[in-house]
Amino acid sequence: MSKILEHLLKAVRDAAIFNPETQVAPACILWPDRDRQWEAVIPLLQAELPELLILGDYAPEKRIGPAIWLRCVIAGKTDFSLSKDHPPIFYLPGVSRQDLRAVESCPDHLKPLAELQYRGVIWSQINAKDWTILAFLKSDQGGLGLDVAQDNDTKNSMQLALYRLLDEEIELLKGKRFDKDYFNTLLSGGDPVRDLLQWLDQEQAFKNARAEIEWKAFVEVCKSQLAFNPQHEGVLAGAEKLANHQGPWQGVWERFCEAPLRYPNIPLLIRKCQMPHPDIFANESIFGGWPQWNEAEENGLRKQLLSLNNGVVQTIRSQLREMDQQHGARRQLVWAELGETPLAQALEQLLVVAELTQNSFAAGTLEELSDNYRNIGWRVDEAVLKALALIEKSVDLEAVTAVIRSLYLPWLEDSARYLQKQVEALGYPGGTHATAKATAYPEGQCLLFVDGLRLDAAKRLREMLENLGMDVVEKATWTALPSVTATGKTAVSPIRDKISGNDGNSDFEPCVTATGQSLKGGYHFKKLIQDSGWKILERTDNGDGHGNAWCEFGDIDHEGHDRGWKLAKHIDSLLKEINERIDALLTAGWKSVRVVTDHGWLLVPGGLPKTELPSTLAENKWGRCACLKAGASTEQKLYAWYWNPYHHFVLANGVSCFKNGEEYTHGGLSLQECLTLELTVSRKTAAMTSISIEVTDLVWKGLRCTIGVEGSCAGLSLDIRQQAGDASTSVVVEPKPLKNNGAASVIVENEELEGQKAVLVLVNGEGSLVAQVDTVIGGYSA
């Protein structure tokens, strides 16, 4: 495709074409321009046409000079050397063809050029009229043959936008109607909606960064397309129209909603406006553009949630459903992306808690209990964490906590007591050291220990790993009792058969069987692993993939003890670090990474219920477990220690705790603390099925890129990167999934990247490249 500039250059030069059989070569090409319409772009044309000279005051270094100097150039009497391939072109601003033809009345300063109309040739229309911009665009005889309006407003805006117009692709303009809106839009940057949002966000800075003609063009576009005059009405009026988003402002609002973080001042601006008074029928379709309304709705939801405290469970479930009918749609508003709908979003998770806690986990065999929790129950724990992760304010925490304690805490209590009852009757399914089966570790496997990887967290980790294209096999395991690190970590280590428990041990720390040395402190534990032929990888050491290795990573348990309920806000980032660690180990050459853990945990905002165990009875007391002094007795149940079945300890009943106000703890007997997942992770070896895909349409409108795709596009997403294979070089606000019809659009975040080369990529759900096309940000390049 060629640009208007290229066509213009060719049209001017082609004026010198002659028939050598009947004519001599013209001495020059005269370009008269009485109204100086082309004058603004002549410097641009000079860069492309070295033979282009300008009539004016003497400035030969700029190829400008009076008529007599131009005559001298033709005669070869100046330092300016003529091209052998093209005759000189003399641009004559303020001069018409008629001025030259009327030799007797020709102004004195033009008379030296008059005779050149006979020795040279004039670039003019077929009707002998001078080429105006409008004529060049419209004429199909020497021009472009485009459909252009002829009113004065269009002519004025066309001339102002000429510099940018020359850069347009001719083929993309065919079949379109061009009027003042098109040229004003072109002059103002080609994306009036983006410009309007930037003006609302920055106002004075936006205006200061633009030339006067660009600002005027922006105002004209707003007047024409939005019936809004930024110059006269101001930003507050614009913000009010945006919030109401009626008529043409709907498109502006949708654009704002696509990338609201790019315009941080707009919500503040809307808050300064007077919101229409809502009535009983007020909803998000009418008032969704007003942050004030959303805030009022959040305040109302907070009161509703607080009213559920200690209510009847069935009534709470019913009321949560009603609340979701009222507030659920707000999760789709822009205020959700800006973090201003935490309770509406938490409500979605609280509904999951409400629905799933209807499933009783106080029934069935231990095997059925394990299967049900692995398939369904863990989602309750996950939903509680996700609800808490959304909370920033203490008043919101109080509201969410009221529901969690009313629904989740009784469910935890019932399932824990049932499990404890089954264990009392049938024995603990995790057994003891004496009954544990030997574990085989294949060559090239790295054992990664993660402290406190609860089952729901392991499920999330598995999803992350599979999204990276890894194979993950999960296996349910019961932790060693009590569910604390001192007991559980060594139970999942490769040197378990070399460990035992001493009588009278009060801190649940086993010892080396051969020497009786305690594993406390970790020295003897690591030494025993190394003596067994295993490598120990520190946090930054990935090893070489040979033999077997033990590695410890992850701070879940540490963060839980330090942060309490706020662990929920950090769990995803902690899992991401573990995910990256596993990826690094596999990259280093390990055939597989087996992820093991020591225990899970309980987390309830506001604290777990307390059960009394006098200190006079306990030699060592932790959150949910304690070692009794010799001869002491209590109503609490006794359980055998994993490392020594003759050594017993006390576990708190239900989900109670021996300490007051504990929001995060472990050591007891519950599904959340004791049923965990072991994950074995490896790279996929099977080749991916090839996908036939073709990008058929690629259109830039400002910094928005829209594509069309033919072929199987299910599960594919559109991204634009500076380096195709590196997701970290993405330049868009966020990758977008392809719609069923194969269409998708994304927005480039950084305006300074406009004009730079990039790669449009299609990736599947595992992040693998499926197709790529070179492009230029803001414009097309095949």
Side-chain angles (χ1 to χ4, degrees):
M1 291 190 290
S2 61
K3 297 182 179 181
I4 291 179
L5 173 62
E6 296 167 7
H7 192 99
L8 175 62
L9 298 176
K10 183 177 184 302
V12 176
R13 276 180 168 169
D14 284 354
I17 294 177
F18 68 100
N19 183 353
E21 300 294 331
T22 60
Q23 297 172 298
V24 297
C28 65
I29 299 173
L30 299 178
W31 182 352
D33 183 13
R34 184 190 65 184
D35 298 326
R36 299 176 179 265
Q37 291 191 12
W38 300 96
E39 189 172 28
V41 298
I42 291 301
L44 172 66
L45 301 184
Q46 279 190 309
E48 303 292 334
L49 299 172
E51 69 271 26
L52 177 59
L53 296 92
I54 305 170
L55 174 66
D57 294 335
Y58 186 63
E61 72 281 0
K62 296 181 180 179
R63 287 184 268 168
I64 302 176
I68 192 64
W69 179 77
L70 297 178
R71 285 290 300 272
C72 291
V73 168
I74 293 179
K77 301 300 183 181
T78 68
D79 293 335
F80 185 84
S81 58
L82 292 174
S83 168
K84 295 180 180 179
D85 300 321
H86 303 286
I89 302 170
F90 295 160
Y91 172 69
L92 312 177
V95 178
S96 71
R97 180 189 181 103
Q98 295 305 316
D99 292 333
L100 296 175
R101 295 184 71 86
V103 178
E104 296 81 2
S105 59
C106 183
D108 290 343
H109 74 281
L110 292 180
K111 284 182 178 179
L113 299 178
E115 64 92 14
L116 289 179
Q117 64 184 302
Y118 306 111
R119 284 203 296 135
V121 63
I122 298 177
W123 182 53
S124 60
Q125 301 182 56
I126 195 169
N127 60 7
K129 291 183 178 181
D130 295 342
W131 279 111
T132 63
I133 300 173
L134 177 63
F136 183 71
L137 294 179
K138 284 184 65 66
S139 175
D140 56 5
Q141 293 182 308
L144 301 178
L146 300 177
D147 183 8
V148 184
Q150 301 185 56
D151 58 278
N152 288 332
D153 287 341
T154 297
K155 292 177 182 178
N156 291 335
S157 59
M158 178 196 313
Q159 185 165 352
L160 292 173
L162 180 58
Y163 190 91
R164 292 185 176 173
L165 180 63
L166 293 179
D167 201 42
E168 294 291 284
E169 302 280 357
I170 296 174
E171 290 303 317
L172 298 179
L173 303 180
K174 296 291 187 180
K176 297 181 180 180
R177 173 73 172 175
F178 301 96
D179 56 16
K180 64 176 182 178
D181 284 347
Y182 171 80
F183 296 113
N184 283 329
T185 298
L186 189 65
L187 180 59
S188 64
D191 194 343
V193 174
R194 181 195 65 189
D195 289 345
L196 177 59
L197 291 171
Q198 288 181 338
W199 172 71
L200 288 172
D201 188 60
Q202 299 294 331
E203 191 186 6
Q204 198 59 47
F206 173 88
K207 186 175 181 180
N208 292 343
R210 277 152 182 77
E212 184 65 23
I213 60 171
E214 292 176 324
W215 168 253
K216 289 181 179 179
F218 167 68
V219 171
E220 290 301 318
V221 170
C222 290
K223 287 165 59 178
S224 175
Q225 297 186 10
L226 298 169
F228 172 69
N229 189 327
Q231 183 79 44
H232 296 157
E233 298 181 67
V235 290
L236 287 181
E240 182 177 349
K241 290 179 179 294
L242 180 65
N244 287 322
H245 50 271
Q246 299 298 311
W249 284 83
Q250 177 64 33
V252 183
W253 174 253
E254 291 173 356
R255 187 70 168 274
F256 168 66
C257 293
E258 287 180 353
L261 295 176
R262 294 180 63 182
Y263 314 102
N265 296 315
I266 286 182
L268 302 175
L269 202 63
I270 296 176
R271 288 182 183 275
K272 294 179 181 180
C273 302
Q274 183 64 45
M275 182 182 74
H277 184 71
D279 55 29
I280 59 174
F281 300 106
N283 58 43
E284 72 286 344
S285 65
I286 301 174
F287 290 92
W290 294 91
Q292 301 95 311
W293 175 80
N294 175 70
E295 184 177 352
E297 290 291 292
E298 279 286 292
N299 291 338
L301 177 55
R302 185 182 303 111
K303 292 178 181 178
Q304 291 175 299
L305 292 174
L306 285 169
S307 70
L308 301 181
N309 192 26
N310 297 321
V312 178
V313 170
Q314 290 303 325
T315 302
I316 291 174
R317 291 191 176 107
S318 176
Q319 289 177 321
L320 285 174
R321 296 185 191 106
E322 293 175 3
M323 291 178 200
D324 195 59
Q325 289 292 318
Q326 178 183 349
H327 298 280
R330 287 195 295 114
R331 294 193 286 269
Q332 307 305 317
L333 297 181
V334 67
W335 313 119
E337 186 170 347
L338 293 174
E340 296 184 21
T341 60
L343 291 179
Q345 291 175 284
L347 177 60
E348 182 177 24
Q349 301 303 324
L350 294 177
L351 268 175
V352 174
V353 175
E355 299 300 334
L356 293 184
T357 51
Q358 294 181 91
N359 300 313
S360 174
F361 279 75
T365 65
L366 286 172
E367 184 177 355
E368 290 170 341
L369 200 60
S370 170
D371 290 342
N372 288 340
Y373 183 68
R374 284 179 59 196
N375 294 328
I376 300 174
W378 68 272
R379 297 188 181 277
V380 182
D381 303 316
E382 180 187 53
V384 168
L385 294 185
K386 286 185 174 180
L388 291 171
L390 295 163
I391 302 305
E392 297 292 342
K393 301 177 182 178
S394 58
V395 289
D396 290 342
L397 174 62
E398 185 180 356
V400 171
T401 296
V403 180
I404 291 174
R405 296 188 70 82
S406 297
L407 293 176
Y408 181 57
L409 186 56
W411 180 81
L412 281 179
E413 182 72 24
D414 289 346
S415 62
R417 287 189 177 274
Y418 182 78
L419 174 61
Q420 291 162 12
K421 182 179 178 181
Q422 292 297 303
V423 169
E424 183 179 7
L426 304 172
Y428 180 60
T432 64
H433 177 231
T435 61
K437 296 180 180 179
T439 303
Y441 302 100
E443 175 78 13
Q445 184 173 82
C446 178
L447 204 57
L448 177 64
F449 171 76
V450 179
D451 193 357
L453 185 65
R454 196 169 72 169
L455 190 143
D456 57 309
K459 290 280 190 178
R460 283 205 224 185
L461 178 60
R462 174 177 181 169
E463 182 179 4
M464 289 181 179
L465 292 164
E466 289 179 333
N467 286 339
L468 281 180
M470 300 182 190
D471 274 324
V472 184
V473 178
E474 69 175 47
K475 174 186 175 184
T477 61
W478 291 90
T479 67
L481 284 185
S483 51
V484 295
T485 301
T487 290
K489 177 179 171 181
T490 48
V492 295
S493 72
I495 43 91
R496 181 180 62 190
D497 59 339
K498 297 177 174 61
I499 304 297
S500 60
N502 290 330
D503 292 339
N505 189 304
S506 63
D507 57 6
F508 314 112
E509 196 81 59
C511 63
V512 180
T513 301
T515 63
Q517 295 165 314
S518 172
L519 298 182
K520 194 170 186 177
Y523 171 78
H524 292 290
F525 175 73
K526 290 184 177 180
K527 186 176 185 303
L528 204 55
I529 288 179
Q530 291 174 319
D531 291 345
S532 298
W534 282 59
K535 302 171 185 176
I536 292 183
L537 305 180
E538 301 301 335
R539 292 181 68 89
T540 58
D541 182 9
N542 295 324
D544 57 10
H546 298 297
N548 293 100
W550 169 268
C551 178
E552 299 180 24
F553 193 83
D555 297 316
I556 297 175
D557 191 45
H558 175 77
E559 293 292 321
H561 286 296
D562 280 356
R563 298 179 183 274
W565 74 268
K566 289 186 177 179
L567 170 64
K569 302 177 72 65
H570 300 273
I571 192 72
D572 272 342
S573 61
L574 294 171
L575 292 175
K576 183 179 179 181
E577 291 176 354
I578 298 168
N579 179 56
E580 291 170 351
R581 180 69 167 128
I582 295 170
D583 186 39
L585 290 168
L586 291 173
T587 301
W590 297 102
K591 294 178 182 177
S592 64
V593 175
R594 185 184 299 188
V595 183
V596 295
T597 191
D598 48 356
H599 58 75
W601 30 271
L602 296 173
L603 186 150
V604 178
L608 292 158
K610 183 184 179 184
T611 187
E612 294 296 335
L613 180 66
S615 298
T616 55
L617 300 179
E619 186 173 344
N620 194 352
K621 183 168 60 174
W622 293 10
R624 295 255 295 145
C625 59
C627 183
L628 295 180
K629 292 181 179 179
S633 62
T634 176
E635 295 181 357
Q636 304 291 339
K637 296 176 183 177
L638 295 177
Y639 294 84
W641 185 29
Y642 176 85
W643 292 105
N644 187 339
Y646 302 105
H647 182 55
H648 291 75
F649 53 88
V650 173
L651 296 185
N653 291 327
V655 292
S656 61
C657 188
F658 293 135
K659 296 180 180 180
N660 192 39
E662 292 284 300
E663 292 184 324
Y664 171 96
T665 192
H666 56 89
L669 180 54
S670 68
L671 291 168
Q672 287 72 19
E673 295 166 283
C674 297
L675 187 59
T676 63
L677 289 183
E678 176 184 285
L679 304 178
T680 302
V681 188
S682 59
R683 299 282 192 199
K684 283 188 176 180
T685 55
M688 291 193 59
T689 303
S690 60
I691 299 175
S692 176
I693 201 81
E694 181 183 1
V695 178
T696 56
D697 296 293
L698 195 165
V699 178
W700 284 94
K701 187 175 182 181
L703 293 179
R704 174 190 291 276
C705 178
T706 302
I707 68 165
V709 168
E710 288 186 358
S712 177
C713 58
L716 300 184
S717 295
L718 166 64
D719 195 3
I720 296 177
R721 302 172 179 176
Q722 292 172 315
Q723 298 176 14
D726 187 353
S728 67
T729 65
S730 173
V731 297
V732 303
V733 175
E734 61 177 348
K736 289 295 182 68
L738 269 63
K739 298 177 182 178
N740 292 335
N741 63 359
S745 67
V746 290
I747 297 176
V748 174
E749 203 164 17
N750 186 351
E751 295 178 7
E752 295 180 358
L753 296 176
E754 189 166 8
Q756 293 189 20
K757 293 182 179 180
V759 185
L760 181 149
V761 300
L762 299 178
V763 296
N764 60 22
E766 298 171 347
S768 300
L769 293 180
V770 174
Q772 66 184 68
V773 177
D774 290 338
T775 187
V776 173
I777 296 173
Y780 180 82
S781 177

